[in-house]
Amino acid sequence: DGGITQSPKYLFRKEGQNVTLSCEQNLNHDAMYWYRQDPGQGLRLIYYSQIVNDFQKGDIAEGYSVSREKKESFPLTVTSAQKNPTAFYLCASSRREGLNWQFFGPGTRLTVL
Amino acid sequence: QKEVEQDPGPLSVPEGAIVSLNCTYSNSAFQYFMWYRQYSRKGPELLMYTYSSGNKEDGRFTAQVDKSSKYISLFIRDSQPSDSATYLCAMKADNYGQNFVFGPGTRLSVLP
């Protein structure tokens, strides 16, 4: 069954800690994305990657970091520099060309205590 | 002005009603339009994908694009309680770009 998995589903972090959110896909997609979703706002792009070992900042990259060492994996680290990290985080993937709508994972809810 | 606008709702309708969900946008370069459905605390799932202007139908769902008015719509016929969700529109300018722009979503409740 092809799809995207994110873990954990819920994550609690103390202020000052870095945390890493996992995203894995088996759809053989080249492009992967991280979005943040807050109530009443659209999805805001944090980072995206079109190919292994390459990634680009999105609209709200400050306080976040990513890596893309494997095609299937695109982990997101929320650092202590992120001022307001409590949010719902969504990972997505797509083909790089052709009809390339995004497939989304189930999301990770991060709460800072 | 936001690039993509959507009435946040909530929109409540009785079961069996026809639902109309809409987005307006400001960037005339957008050519590819998507509608996603998102259940509470879940990831969005693609409902419809359309290119340029016109209509596209899939079961109870019809997507309309009017590029001259910069307006897109999603119609749901014979709405069911299981259609209760948030509906997000998304769009982008070119086929190879990764710059998807999302609306904030409209929350729909279909009452039995």
Side-chain angles (χ1 to χ4, degrees):
Chain A
D1 230 358
I4 303 178
T5 57
Q6 289 185 242
S7 61
K9 190 171 180 179
Y10 299 97
L11 186 56
F12 297 89
R13 188 194 93 174
K14 292 182 181 178
E15 282 194 24
Q17 285 182 337
N18 293 354
V19 290
T20 297
L21 282 58
S22 167
C23 178
E24 304 273 335
Q25 55 98 1
N26 61 3
L27 298 166
N28 200 32
H29 286 164
D30 287 303
M32 296 187 74
Y33 315 76
W34 275 104
Y35 289 93
R36 171 181 171 139
Q37 187 174 36
D38 295 283
Q41 300 197 40
L43 303 183
R44 292 187 289 166
L45 184 64
I46 303 172
Y47 270 97
Y48 69 96
S49 167
Q50 296 193 54
I51 198 166
V52 174
N53 292 324
D54 184 62
F55 46 83
Q56 308 295 326
K57 291 183 179 180
D59 301 318
I60 55 165
E62 186 175 346
Y64 299 97
S65 66
V66 293
S67 63
R68 186 88 187 275
E69 296 176 4
K70 297 187 300 182
K71 186 176 183 178
E72 302 79 20
S73 178
F74 191 40
L76 173 74
T77 296
V78 184
T79 75
S80 55
Q82 169 49 233
K83 297 274 186 276
N84 185 20
T86 294
F88 189 51
Y89 290 87
L90 287 161
C91 178
S93 71
S94 74
R95 294 168 56 185
R96 215 154 39 105
E97 44 190 57
L99 298 178
N100 65 340
W101 57 82
Q102 294 174 317
F103 289 80
F104 284 86
T108 292
R109 173 71 185 176
L110 172 63
T111 302
V112 174
L113 304 173
Chain B
Q1 183 191 11
K2 291 186 179 177
E3 207 165 6
V4 178
E5 307 229 27
Q6 215 179 336
D7 187 333
L11 175 64
S12 293
V13 301
E15 183 175 354
I18 296 175
V19 176
S20 171
L21 303 166
N22 311 295
C23 286
T24 58
Y25 61 95
S26 57
N27 187 349
S28 57
F30 288 141
Q31 296 189 77
Y32 299 87
F33 304 92
M34 289 139 276
W35 284 97
Y36 287 86
R37 177 175 62 196
Q38 185 178 23
Y39 291 115
S40 183
R41 300 187 191 88
K42 304 286 186 189
E45 55 179 325
L46 181 76
L47 284 176
M48 302 286 277
Y49 182 98
T50 54
Y51 167 68
S52 196
S53 286
N55 293 1
K56 183 176 181 179
E57 188 173 321
D58 184 1
R60 296 185 297 113
F61 299 93
T62 299
Q64 274 187 1
V65 175
D66 181 350
K67 289 186 68 181
S68 61
S69 302
K70 299 193 185 71
Y71 189 88
I72 68 170
S73 300
L74 178 71
F75 297 95
I76 307 174
R77 289 184 298 281
D78 187 26
S79 56
Q80 303 295 310
S82 58
D83 294 327
S84 298
T86 297
Y87 290 80
L88 305 168
C89 64
M91 46 200 78
K92 66 188 184 86
D94 60 82
N95 202 25
Y96 296 94
Q98 311 307 320
N99 187 19
F100 295 81
V101 181
F102 285 81
T106 298
R107 191 152 58 92
L108 171 68
S109 290
V110 181
L111 307 173

